[in-house]
Amino acid sequence: EAQVTQNPRYLITVTGKKLTVTCSQNMNHEYMSWYRQDPGLGLRQIYYSMNVEVTDKGDVPEGYKVSRKEKRNFPLILESPSPNQTSLYFCASSFLTGGSVSPLHFGNGTRLTVT
Amino acid sequence: GQSLEQPSEVTAVEGAIVQINCTYQTSGFYGLSWYQQHDGGAPTFLSYNALDGLEETGRFSSFLSRSDSYGYLLLQELQMKDSASYFCAVRVSGYSTLTFGKGTMLLVSP
């Protein structure tokens, strides 16, 4: 089954304790992205990647890191989480078509709470 | 920067028709997409418009006017299961990322 898999689904942690949220896709997509969703603010892009070893900042990259060492995986790293990073996080992927639509496929989300 | 405006909430009754508008101000424009999200779940793709006009997919249709920087999602024969949040999203170039609006919560009542 074609899917984007995020883990964990729920995570409660304390300020300053490094964490990683994993994301993996099995559709051979070139493009992968992380979004955070907060009430009233919609989906805001954190980082994205158009290919292996190619990553770029989105709209709200501060406090986050990513890596793209393999095509299928795009982990999100919070080196020193803070309470303002409490949010619902989504990983998404798609083909890079250039000339036509390629819908984003989203994972089921990771609900992160930082105390 | 990119800016998309859509109403925060829309209410309607079962069987009715509802239109969710989206206006955008972007540095470029390559297409307007719509996504549906149920109660914090994974957003799912609904439709895409790159050219002016109406695209129909079953009970859902999407419209685009590039000259007005405006689009809408039309939902017909509303069902309770259509209660969800709907996001418009703009791609500013062929290889660029998607920028999402803040979403419209649609509440369908019996």
Side-chain angles (χ1 to χ4, degrees):
Chain A
E1 181 190 351
Q3 59 186 0
V4 178
T5 304
Q6 289 179 234
N7 279 299
R9 290 292 310 277
Y10 300 92
L11 180 58
I12 301 174
T13 190
V14 296
T15 299
K17 186 176 180 182
K18 180 179 179 179
L19 66 91
T20 299
V21 184
T22 63
C23 175
S24 180
Q25 50 91 7
N26 62 0
M27 295 167 279
N28 203 34
H29 287 163
E30 299 92 358
Y31 177 84
M32 297 186 76
S33 180
W34 276 102
Y35 290 88
R36 64 177 287 174
Q37 185 174 27
D38 303 288
L41 297 178
L43 290 155
R44 294 182 293 167
Q45 190 174 52
I46 303 170
Y47 269 95
Y48 64 95
S49 169
M50 298 223 180
N51 213 331
V52 176
E53 302 292 1
V54 179
T55 63
D56 212 340
K57 296 177 180 178
D59 298 318
V60 288
E62 294 78 20
Y64 304 95
K65 284 176 58 177
V66 293
S67 69
R68 188 92 182 271
K69 292 183 170 54
E70 305 164 286
K71 194 172 188 179
R72 62 183 294 129
N73 295 323
F74 191 46
L76 179 69
I77 303 154
L78 285 73
E79 296 268 2
S80 183
S82 62
N84 64 12
Q85 292 179 297
T86 293
S87 187
L88 177 59
Y89 291 86
F90 287 101
C91 180
S93 70
S94 73
F95 290 113
L96 265 184
T97 58
S100 62
V101 65
S102 179
L104 276 178
H105 296 256
F106 284 83
N108 286 326
T110 296
R111 192 168 291 278
L112 172 67
T113 302
V114 184
T115 61
Chain B
Q2 329 302 339
S3 162
L4 290 89
E5 296 291 331
Q6 49 181 131
S8 58
E9 188 174 303
V10 173
T11 58
V13 297
E14 264 189 308
I17 299 173
V18 73
Q19 179 174 311
I20 299 174
N21 298 320
C22 175
T23 58
Y24 57 88
Q25 287 184 315
T26 56
S27 55
F29 181 82
Y30 204 79
L32 182 70
S33 301
W34 289 92
Y35 285 77
Q36 179 191 59
Q37 183 186 35
H38 281 102
D39 202 22
T44 55
F45 173 79
L46 289 177
S47 69
Y48 175 76
N49 295 69
L51 303 175
D52 287 357
L54 193 68
E55 296 279 344
E56 298 181 66
T57 309
R59 294 187 297 113
F60 293 5
S61 304
S62 57
F63 172 83
L64 175 66
S65 168
R66 294 173 68 121
S67 59
D68 295 322
S69 298
Y70 163 76
Y72 66 71
L73 181 69
L74 189 74
L75 297 85
Q76 304 182 74
E77 301 172 21
L78 280 174
Q79 302 175 9
M80 296 294 290
K81 67 179 182 179
D82 297 328
S83 291
S85 290
Y86 294 83
F87 295 87
C88 59
V90 166
R91 189 183 299 274
V92 298
S93 72
Y95 287 99
S96 75
T97 63
L98 271 182
T99 298
F100 284 83
K102 294 180 179 179
T104 298
M105 184 176 295
L106 171 63
L107 301 171
V108 181
S109 57

